[in-house]
Amino acid sequence: MIHCTFVGRTFYNPANGYTVASYRTREELPPEVARQNRESPGVFQAFGIELPAGENLEVELDGTWKKGKYGFQLDVSYFHVNIPETEAGIEAYLSSDLIKGIGPVTARRIVEKFGKRSLYVLDHTPEKLLGIPGISETKLEEILDGYQKSTALRELMVYLAPFGVTAKKLEKIQEHFGKSAYHIIQENPFRLCEVKGFGFLTVDAIAVKAKDFRPDDPLRIKAAVAHVMQAAEEEGHLFLTSDEVVEKAGLLLNKDKENRKVSDRAIKDAGNEMIHQDQTLVGNGGGIYNRQAFEAEAGAAGELIRLLSQKKEGKDISNLLKQILKEEQISLGKMQEKAVLQAFASPVSIITGGPGTGKTTLIRIILRIQERLDPDSMVMLCAPTGRARRRMYEKTGFPALTMQKAVGMTGADGEEAWNQPEKLPDDLIIADEFGMCDMYLADRFFHCIRQGASLVMIGDKDQLGSVGPGNVFKEMIESGVIPVTVLDACFRQEEGSTIVENARRINQNQTRLLYDETFRFFAASKPGDAAEIIQDLYVKYWQEHGKRTDDIQVLSPFRKNTAAGSDALNERLREAVNPKRRGKAEIRNGKKLFRTGDIVMQTENKDEISNGDLGEVLDIYRKEKKTAMRVDFGDGRIVEFTDENHWPLTHGYAMSVHKSQGNECAVVIIPVLDCFWRMLQRNILYTGITRATRQVILVGSRQAVAKAIRNNRMAKRNTNFALRLRQAYRSMQGLYQKSA
């Protein structure tokens, strides 16, 4: 450990906290270090993450001396800021980067007034600071917040830095647990698993070193079980069997398979305690649920049956339908007409069908009928994503919301705040792309629909399921208790109808697809070859269409670990259409490098921007000593990102098929290769090609395309939603019979 004083900062990257700084020490330095700084005895350079900086700030650094391009430097693995006792030291500490809200001028004024008692005043009588010029009540709140966070962060740093936890991750921990973060983590380090970016294996190593946990400590076992349950939800499951929980937790807890230190009995005992005492898990129907997942599944079933069972007179709108069809000069097929009639005959109904089956036409017809029936009624159109919402608006001309905004959910995926418990006032609610709705969103959505309202849910049952847990749309259809209309006839005859025909063939397990100018195939045997072809096609289209990327999208079944995955394709396509040029600003955030003109994609829900929304980088600039970047997501939604935060952004030239759900694009390019064997599935290929409205281009092997079409073994999700719907329906019918 080297006791030293801060001299100056040479380099600082605000995106990841990487710092190069100089320090001065009175201690003896290694001879090779001392020789290279003879003009400034005791001065040395150090590098690390978020190294402390502040004039005359006294710190302790620990690390390893390493020789590089700039000579010997200290690679800092741990640092500690000494609490100063002199007035000069206190002033340096208060004005340092460690405390937000206090600059050099304010720090000087505080020390001039309170001297060596300045830190005591901040800790015990902060209201006295109001007597200092420039410190208002608002400013005092800002100062105290920064000071308290600094104190809490320093405690965390002392506790966790020896285990390689970076300053940026420490800030995440503090943000999650608040000012009590240190005491919470000290008592139970396994609670770090609650923080995004901390998996069980990482936390397990920290906990064992920090508190010497026994392998069979109940806290350790419970953390492993919680990790297993969270991982299951990320795979789409709402529950696991008890045997699955025990097996998966056992693999985490017993790294040495030959010497099992944690028995199955111990895992079962800890799991039972989580069910009966902690009440974080629920055992029901042979499955083990996270409590939130169980309540969402049971709650959604109960609320949906409440809506379905409302005593409401169905409306015969046959004559009105004929009149509107005559006015619009259109005709409906038999199933289309049935879908419209059902929407007004039942308080809850489902319409499902593939591309070209007229789902959008039906939305417009239903809206026209509702307007004629009751011009003063309130109608809401909504969809699970921002892209699907905008598509709904563009095709109907009627305003639409995301379902999250409609029911008051805000924040990132899995971290939503429930801000609006009251019922929605609307008389008719039409929800499109319902196949993308997971169990948590469905639960909150159904809870917010008032008694007396009508709900029409529309989607394509053959597309990929939701990204979140559950299989809501398919389970509702399979339950048999909700009126469902399946649109099986194609009415789209315009350009792109080959796409519709091939979508139909794929669903019918027909491997002989039609190929023409709207559905093309380019052969490639290796990922690298496919990537080159995709780049050539992308650039050619880009050049022929005014160097715009709005109407072309690359979709890959894989994201990483292959040249034909979306990550690698993003790098390749960005360099092809938006290369580095003199005068074109760039900024790095984490591992991502962004430049002006880049196409980017949002990766989490936040305010008005939805996970999967695409935008364009407008400019990169300096603002208040920070670097900022503005992104235009369309519809007037321009967002500023500053370099002090981690950005939920990635490049958007290529994306995974899963991310593309709810989106449409004129031209879609999809690599389909034999090496994608794990993702060669019918619903993935079907979802990808049905994103295109004008042209599909497949790049790969026909054998891989055929494999994908034949593989209809979709990963089964553990969910009991259909069963719960049937049970709730029978219970409701029983109540009606008793009251009759």
Side-chain angles (χ1 to χ4, degrees), residues 389-390 608-609 614-616 631-638:
R389 173 198 70 77
R390 285 192 297 281
E608 294 293 315
I609 314 302
L614 294 174
E616 180 178 352
V631 177
D632 184 356
F633 287 98
D635 296 338
R637 300 172 304 150
I638 296 177

Side-chain angles (χ1 to χ4, degrees), residues 316-327 344 368-373:
D316 183 3
I317 48 97
S318 303
N319 292 332
L320 182 54
L321 173 60
K322 291 176 183 177
Q323 182 182 342
I324 289 175
L325 293 178
K326 185 177 180 181
E327 293 171 1
F344 290 93
R368 287 289 308 277
I369 293 173
Q370 180 67 21
E371 185 181 18
R372 293 285 184 88
L373 288 174

Side-chain angles (χ1 to χ4, degrees), residues 296 299-307 310 378 380 382 401-410 417-429 434 439-455:
E303 288 298 310
L304 193 56
I305 296 305
R306 168 184 67 82
L307 295 171
Q310 45 190 330
M378 297 182 68
M380 182 178 76
C382 58
L401 299 172
T402 61
M403 290 168 63
Q404 291 88 341
K405 184 172 182 178
V407 300
M409 289 169 63
T410 60
W418 187 219
N419 295 328
Q420 186 180 332
E422 65 268 17
K423 302 294 185 183
L424 295 166
D426 305 278
D427 303 294
L428 171 64
I429 298 171
F434 212 88
M439 197 73 257
Y440 290 115
L441 177 56
D443 176 40
R444 295 176 179 182
F445 183 65
F446 296 150
H447 266 87
C448 276
I449 300 176
R450 67 173 181 81
Q451 203 74 4
S454 294
L455 171 64

